[in-house]
Amino acid sequence: MSAISLNWFRIGFCLLLFIFPLDVIAGCNTSASKQSMPSSIPVNRGEHRVILYCQLSEQAVLSFRLDVARQATAVNTEGEEFVTLNSASKAFLLPAGQYDVELILNVQRSRFIYPRLDSVPDFYEREHIHLLMMSGFFGFSLALVIFVGVLGRSMHNAGFYAYSAYIASAGMFFFIQEGMLNIVFPGAIWVNDLRVKMLFAGLIVFTGMRFIIRLLDFGRLLRKPFFIPLRIVGIVVLALAVLQAILPENLTLQYSSFMGTLTLAGIAGIVGATVFAVKMRVPAAKLVLVSLLVMFFSMVLRVYLHDINPFLHRYGLVIAVTIEAVLLAVAVSEKVRQLNIDRTRAFRDASYDSLCPVLNRRGWETAADRMLTRHAREGGVLTLLFIDLDRFKQVNDRYGHATGDATLMKVATSLKAVCRERDLIGRYGGDEFVVLSHCPDRQQSQRLFERLQSRCQSFMLNTESGSVRISASVGCYAVEKPHHSIQMLLKQADANMYEHKQASKGTSTL
C-alpha cells in the first residue's frame, strides 16, 4: 500500500517538470562518463528514439530500468543491434570505439529514463548486489506469508490471512517493479507492462487497507460515515486496477489517474484512523503507526537520496517495506496475544466459580467431556470423586454466611493443594465439590482417593467467633472402560458419597 503512494508522488512530481523535445543527443566517454552521460532523459509516450554519442576506450555497459519503457533496443548507424545482457534492467554491451548509439524505446508514459554507463565488472557487481537484495527480500516475504498463513489457519484468525495477502501482494509488486521477471523471462514484453504493475499496486492498496481495518477493528472503532468510505476506497481501487488491466492501453491513463487520487485519499484516511486508534489505546495501533511513518520517511528519502546515497535511493524502499513487514507481524502477534488474553478472561469468567478458585458447574462439565474423550483415546483409569460437606447448613446458621463462604473457599483451596494440576476440580453447587482425574492405573487412582478422604476428615477455619471445624463425605467411582456420559459417572459417585455419609452420620462436629 505504501509503495503505491511513492509511485503517485513521483508521477505528480514529474508532471510538473518541463517536457523536452523528442530527440536527444548526448555524449558518453569512459574517462568522464558521469559528466557526459545525462542523468535523466525525458521521453514521450509511444515510440521514442534517443541518440547517444559514445567514445569508449574499453567495453562498457549502458543500462536503465524498464519502468516507463516497456521495451528497448539499441542499434548502431548500420542498424545492427548491440548485445543485450540478461539483467533486471535493460543492459547493452557497448564495444570500445567512437560511434553513435540509437535507443528505440516503446514508452508507456511520458516520463524520464535514468541511464547508467558502467565498466563491465562494475555493472556485474551492481547486478549481483541487486539480485542478492531482491532475492533476500522476496524470500523473506515468502517465508512470512507461509509462516503467518499457517499460524492463522491453526488459530482460525482471519487477521493472519489479511496480513499474508498484503505481504504477498507487496512482494510480487516489488519483484516486478525491480525487474526480476526480466531475468526469468528475458525479452518478454508483458513483464514490463505498466498495467501488470498497476494490477498488483491495486492489490497492495486493497489488501493493505483491509488488513489494517481488520487489525485495528475500525468497524467498531469508527463511526459509519468514516468507516464505510475507507472500505469503499479499497474496493474501488482494486476494481480500477483490474479494469485498467483488461481495457485498451489508450484508456488506462484516465483510470490510473483516478486510481492514484483514490489511493492517496485512502492512505490519508488510514493514517488518520490509525492516529485515532492510538489515542483510543487500541492494541497494536502504535506499531501500525510506526510502520506507516517508516514508509513515509522512506518515500521522502527516496526522492532526495539520489545523489547523496545511491544504494539507499535504490533499496531504501525495499528495506523500509521489510521493516514494515516485521513491525506489522509484531502488531498482528500483539493483537492476537490480546485476543487470547480476552478469550482466556472470558472463558475464566464463564467457567470459574464466582466464589471459589475452582471451576463452576458449566466449566467443569465442559472440561470433563474433553477428559472423557482423552481417556477413551489413551486408556488408563478415570476417577471421579464427589465431595459433600457435612452439616454445612449449621455453619451458615451459627456463624453467618460470610463464614460459610470462607469455609467453601478453604475447602476449595485444600482440594487444589491435594490434587494434581491436571486434575479437574469444580464446585458443582452449594457445598458440593467434584474432582475428575485421569490416572494411569488403579494404584494411583486409589492413592488419590485416600489423600482426598484423609484431607476431608477435618477442615479447620479460624474466625473472629472462634475456630470452625467441618468434615466432608467423599464418594469415589473409578472406571477403566471408556465412558461418554459424565452424568452417569456423577450419578454413581454421588450414590457412593451418600452411602459414605450415611455410614459416618453423626461423626462430624462443629
Side-chain angles (χ1 to χ4, degrees):
M1 175 182 64
S2 301
I4 303 305
S5 61
L6 169 63
N7 289 335
W8 290 112
F9 178 83
R10 292 177 60 189
I11 289 173
F13 178 76
C14 292
L15 286 175
L16 300 177
L17 299 180
F18 181 77
I19 304 300
F20 289 87
L22 179 65
D23 292 325
V24 178
I25 307 297
C28 61
N29 189 294
T30 53
S31 61
S33 59
K34 293 183 179 179
Q35 289 75 21
S36 57
M37 172 63 65
S39 59
S40 63
I41 301 175
V43 292
N44 297 327
R45 185 171 178 269
E47 185 176 301
H48 193 99
R49 295 174 182 267
V50 178
I51 300 175
L52 302 174
Y53 170 74
C54 293
Q55 185 178 356
L56 305 174
S57 58
E58 61 180 7
Q59 279 188 328
V61 177
L62 173 65
S63 62
F64 51 87
R65 297 176 62 187
L66 287 174
D67 44 8
V68 297
R70 182 188 294 108
Q71 192 178 23
T73 56
V75 298
N76 57 23
T77 53
E78 287 76 26
E80 298 174 345
E81 293 188 9
F82 291 93
V83 175
T84 303
L85 302 178
N86 190 14
S87 166
S89 56
K90 197 65 179 182
F92 302 102
L93 181 64
L94 304 182
Q98 183 176 339
Y99 49 85
D100 291 340
V101 176
E102 183 179 12
L103 293 178
I104 305 173
L105 307 170
N106 183 356
V107 180
Q108 304 174 80
R109 289 187 176 182
S110 298
R111 296 290 182 267
F112 291 82
I113 62 171
Y114 301 92
R116 287 182 59 101
L117 190 65
D118 299 293
S119 65
V120 175
D122 288 346
F123 168 77
Y124 278 111
E125 179 182 359
R126 184 165 55 87
E127 193 68 15
H128 290 157
I129 292 175
H130 180 69
L131 182 62
L132 181 63
M133 289 290 296
M134 295 311 302
S135 297
F137 169 74
F138 190 72
F140 174 76
S141 300
L142 184 61
L144 272 181
V145 168
I146 295 174
F147 173 74
V148 175
V150 172
L151 189 61
R153 182 178 181 181
S154 64
M155 298 189 67
H156 305 286
N157 192 296
F160 284 99
Y161 299 130
Y163 173 84
S164 295
Y166 170 61
I167 298 301
S169 300
M172 282 303 302
F173 174 81
F174 278 103
F175 197 75
I176 297 172
Q177 177 76 7
E178 295 299 324
M180 298 301 290
L181 288 181
N182 289 312
I183 300 176
V184 182
F185 304 102
I189 299 177
W190 66 270
V191 299
N192 297 302
D193 195 321
L194 193 61
R195 291 176 294 180
V196 176
K197 299 175 184 179
M198 295 305 297
L199 177 60
F200 280 97
L203 282 172
I204 291 176
V205 175
F206 174 75
T207 57
M209 293 185 67
R210 184 174 178 83
F211 162 64
I212 294 179
I213 286 173
R214 294 184 68 94
L215 179 65
L216 301 184
D217 204 6
F218 285 160
R220 296 183 179 180
L221 182 67
L222 304 177
R223 295 180 179 178
K224 286 186 177 181
F226 298 98
F227 169 67
I228 294 178
L230 283 181
R231 293 196 62 181
I232 293 177
V233 165
I235 296 173
V236 173
V237 168
L238 179 61
L240 289 174
V242 174
L243 193 62
Q244 63 87 33
I246 61 178
L247 286 177
E249 189 175 355
N250 60 344
L251 299 177
T252 60
L253 290 178
Q254 298 178 356
Y255 290 102
S256 299
S257 177
F258 184 46
M259 177 178 167
T261 303
L262 280 179
T263 298
L264 291 176
I267 292 173
I270 286 292
V271 172
T274 303
V275 172
F276 180 69
V278 172
K279 183 179 179 181
M280 299 302 294
R281 299 182 180 179
V282 175
K286 289 184 179 179
L287 285 171
V288 173
L289 183 60
V290 170
S291 69
L292 293 175
L293 292 176
V294 167
M295 291 303 303
F296 172 77
F297 284 114
S298 69
M299 290 186 290
V300 173
L301 293 177
R302 184 180 175 94
V303 176
Y304 295 104
L305 282 179
H306 187 276
D307 297 324
I308 300 175
N309 192 317
F311 179 84
L312 286 180
H313 175 264
R314 182 69 186 275
Y315 301 109
L317 192 58
V318 174
I319 295 173
V321 171
T322 304
I323 295 174
E324 182 195 41
V326 173
L327 289 175
L328 292 179
V330 175
V332 171
S333 301
E334 176 65 21
K335 180 63 178 291
V336 172
R337 186 185 70 84
Q338 187 62 45
L339 288 175
N340 287 334
I341 291 175
D342 294 341
R343 189 180 297 113
T344 301
R345 184 181 294 116
F347 174 79
R348 184 179 64 246
D349 293 342
S351 302
Y352 276 77
D353 189 76
S354 58
L355 176 64
C356 302
V358 294
L359 294 168
N360 60 23
R361 180 169 182 167
R362 177 182 177 185
W364 184 87
E365 288 182 344
T366 300
D369 287 335
R370 291 196 295 266
M371 184 173 285
L372 288 181
T373 302
R374 187 167 66 250
H375 170 255
R377 183 177 64 251
E378 300 176 1
V381 179
L382 202 61
T383 306
L384 179 59
L385 301 112
F386 201 104
I387 302 154
D388 182 77
L389 298 185
D390 299 325
R391 300 181 180 180
F392 178 70
K393 185 177 182 301
Q394 295 181 21
V395 174
N396 282 327
D397 294 341
R398 182 174 178 179
Y399 299 101
H401 288 284
T403 300
D405 291 344
T407 302
L408 292 175
M409 288 188 284
K410 174 71 174 180
V411 172
T413 304
S414 299
L415 293 178
K416 291 183 67 175
V418 174
C419 295
R420 302 170 303 176
E421 185 176 352
R422 61 178 178 270
D423 294 335
L424 300 179
I425 307 171
R427 182 185 174 200
Y428 206 66
D431 60 341
E432 297 175 338
F433 292 85
V434 285
V435 176
L436 184 64
S437 178
H438 185 192
C439 302
D441 50 46
R442 285 280 182 179
Q443 288 76 14
Q444 190 172 106
S445 173
Q446 181 64 27
R447 286 196 296 269
L448 174 63
F449 170 61
E450 292 173 355
R451 287 200 309 271
L452 276 172
Q453 191 177 44
S454 175
R455 183 68 188 89
C456 290
Q457 287 180 358
S458 177
F459 296 101
M460 179 65 71
L461 180 68
N462 295 321
T463 68
E464 295 179 357
S465 303
S467 298
V468 178
R469 184 187 300 272
I470 192 172
S471 62
S473 301
V474 181
C476 178
Y477 186 63
V479 294
E480 296 184 37
K481 293 182 179 180
H483 280 69
H484 302 286
S485 173
I486 192 65
Q487 297 301 324
M488 190 198 73
L489 298 178
L490 281 169
K491 183 177 181 180
Q492 187 61 49
D494 184 28
N496 292 344
M497 181 275 301
Y498 182 75
E499 291 180 4
H500 179 268
K501 183 181 288 287
Q502 290 297 108
S504 59
K505 192 173 183 179
T507 60
S508 300
T509 59
L510 292 175

